Amino acid sequence: MSDTDSSAESPCIRNCCLDDELTCLGCFRSLQEIQEWGVVDDNRRRIILQNAKQRREAYQMPHVP
């Protein structure tokens, strides 16, 4: 039996481009999160997905000077 399930599939969209903070602007995971994705359990994957969602939302917010 596997420690992973379909609820925690990779958010990778094959549009990898890291910003200055080493966050992918395609999936919004950090480089560290991308590297660990293949070896962590679903609980950690859900945390990574939540972190990526928060980064995506923050990135899409209008930046006020």
Side-chain angles (χ1 to χ4, degrees):
M1 185 182 239
S2 174
D3 288 339
T4 62
D5 65 33
S6 62
S7 67
E9 291 183 22
S10 173
C12 181
I13 60 170
R14 306 281 187 245
N15 187 18
C16 304
C17 179
L18 298 178
D19 67 8
D20 292 338
E21 296 176 7
L22 299 180
T23 297
C24 176
L25 298 178
C27 67
F28 288 89
R29 290 179 293 169
S30 69
L31 182 58
Q32 176 66 34
E33 291 167 339
I34 292 168
Q35 291 173 329
E36 68 182 77
W37 185 267
V39 296
V40 296
D41 64 18
D42 277 342
N43 184 54
R44 176 66 181 139
R45 287 182 176 189
R46 283 188 282 276
I47 292 168
I48 291 170
L49 291 172
Q50 182 61 39
N51 291 342
K53 179 182 176 188
Q54 290 173 349
R55 287 187 203 105
R56 176 179 282 110
E57 290 169 353
Y59 184 80
Q60 293 174 347
M61 291 180 64
H63 300 292
V64 179

